[in-house]
Amino acid sequence: MGGRAGMRPVELVAELAYPARAELGEGPVWDDLTQALVWVDIMAGRVHRLDWRSGFHRVLDVGVSVGAVGLRRIQPGSSKGPGLDAGLVLAVADGFALSGPISGPEPLAELSLERLAEPSVDTSAVRFNEGKVDPEGRWCAGTMSWDESEPVGALYLLHPSGSVQRLVDGVTVSNGMDWSEDGRTFYYVDSATGRVDAFDRDPETGALSARRLVVEIARQDGIPDGMTLDAEGCIWVALWRGAAVRRYTPDGRLDRVLALPATKVTSMAFGGPGLDELFVTTARIMQSGRALAAEPRAGDVFWCRPGTSGRPPFRYGAT
Ligand code: BGC
Ligand code: CA
């Protein structure tokens, strides 16, 4: 790879994965046990599930806005015998919740939630936006200020015991996150900073330290949004108002670009049977009628062959 410095990034080609027409499509997560893509439409309070083998799509109505979802771990010996789908851990508008299985035959269903006591956030100032389960089975999710200008948000960690810890304060728009293979580095995007940062991390406690810049996105290229690491340790970042997903090498060099037919690109996840497909969510919100007419596919989910693979998702729950 050394000789490639200065070379133009490889251009990937996007195809439509599902015409979801979401207002704010976000937070895709690949369920490797059931081979389904799960994502949310935040303001609409909906969870989408697309069975990738059959193409069957189902919408689960949460009843409140839903900032992010993660998969729950199947508890061995559970009396209910949940099969392969153990349900979700969710960040709803003001806090966290758990659900039962989300697969089923009806295209439309209601999702009932068990609300957790902590945290309780002030929904007049912030709402939850993006989350992921960490390598140790804890749920990590953050808040963003409604007007995206005040650093009043935070990043939280929910332990399987139900206790909650604040990992980062002073966050303006909490967005993408991921963990290095050894669990000792945490990558995080606060969109308002225009950066992807890294922290040192103690895998046992989840505690973060030594925040530093890894990738800076020029304002005219968009705002860094969702992110994920691939199996090579490269950084994929979605560009809100940038109509693209980019891959950066661990040393910060731009080496792949996926252009999308929607300007507001929110997040991405690796999936497919070989984890070598990439799914990308997009949004329609805050667009004028004319701008939307110019991008009829905004809010849909896109797909490409990224030329590399990702890692299976972590699952929430005690190990
Ligand atoms: C959020 C949007 C926000 C955008 C800004 C997205 O992750 O879902 O509400 O406007 O980030 O970067
Ligand atoms: Ca996002």
Side-chain angles (χ1 to χ4, degrees):
M1 296 292 273
R4 296 189 53 195
M7 278 178 69
R8 288 170 68 88
V10 173
E11 289 176 19
L12 304 168
V13 178
E15 288 175 35
L16 181 66
Y18 190 79
R21 293 300 144 84
E23 281 173 62
L24 183 49
E26 264 280 12
V29 47
W30 176 255
D31 183 346
D32 57 332
L33 296 182
T34 67
Q35 298 288 302
L37 187 76
V38 181
W39 70 98
V40 297
D41 186 350
I42 296 184
M43 310 302 184
R46 290 175 157 178
V47 174
H48 289 252
R49 181 179 187 275
L50 177 65
D51 183 309
W52 193 231
R53 283 179 293 212
S54 68
F56 179 66
H57 172 252
R58 130 175 260 248
V59 172
L60 296 125
D61 190 351
V62 181
V64 288
S65 80
V66 54
V69 297
L71 305 170
R72 287 175 78 180
R73 195 187 297 275
I74 294 161
Q75 296 301 332
S78 149
S79 57
K80 285 196 213 128
L84 295 176
D85 173 6
L88 303 176
V89 55
L90 304 93
V92 293
D94 60 342
F96 295 159
L98 300 174
S99 86
I102 60 164
S103 44
E106 317 85 11
L108 224 89
E110 272 174 32
L111 190 66
S112 47
L113 301 183
E114 177 197 330
R115 290 299 304 264
L116 303 182
E118 284 186 87
S120 172
V121 305
D122 174 7
T123 51
S124 66
V126 296
R127 68 162 171 84
F128 273 97
N129 185 64
E130 288 223 30
K132 242 178 219 176
V133 178
D134 83 0
E136 292 77 25
R138 300 170 288 219
W139 173 234
C140 186
T143 52
M144 60 172 269
S145 105
W146 280 106
D147 66 6
E148 303 185 16
S149 67
E150 299 295 322
V152 290
L155 184 68
Y156 299 86
L157 194 64
L158 168 70
H159 295 253
S161 64
S163 74
V164 171
Q165 170 187 356
R166 272 167 94 108
L167 282 184
V168 184
D169 275 306
V171 176
T172 305
V173 180
S174 188
N175 241 314
M177 65 192 79
D178 211 347
W179 296 264
S180 64
E181 196 63 41
D182 64 3
R184 298 198 166 273
T185 307
F186 177 62
Y187 293 86
Y188 183 51
V189 175
D190 174 346
S191 294
T193 65
R195 305 155 48 128
V196 180
D197 285 347
F199 293 77
D200 290 342
R201 173 177 184 271
D202 177 343
E204 206 173 305
T205 61
L208 304 176
S209 57
R211 186 173 188 158
R212 59 204 177 260
L213 171 73
V214 178
V215 171
E216 188 148 33
I217 305 291
R219 203 73 187 169
Q220 69 269 17
D221 294 346
I223 295 170
D225 206 297
M227 68 144 297
T228 189
L229 297 181
D230 64 25
E232 299 165 273
C234 292
I235 301 156
W236 294 75
V237 52
L239 299 184
W240 176 264
R241 285 205 226 98
V245 166
R246 290 179 173 179
R247 179 174 107 145
Y248 290 88
T249 58
D251 57 2
R253 181 169 53 81
L254 172 64
D255 86 331
R256 289 182 204 175
V257 176
L258 170 68
L260 292 150
T263 48
K264 292 180 169 168
V265 186
T266 54
S267 198
M268 84 295 286
F270 286 93
L275 289 167
D276 55 357
E277 302 170 44
L278 189 75
F279 295 90
V280 181
T281 48
T282 65
R284 302 168 66 77
I285 53 158
M286 295 189 294
Q287 298 269 68
S288 70
R290 201 202 271 167
L292 263 188
E295 44 176 293
R297 297 249 77 105
D300 291 351
V301 179
F302 298 91
W303 174 97
C304 79
R305 290 226 173 258
T308 185
S309 54
R311 302 174 300 175
F314 301 115
R315 289 170 186 269
Y316 175 74
T319 46

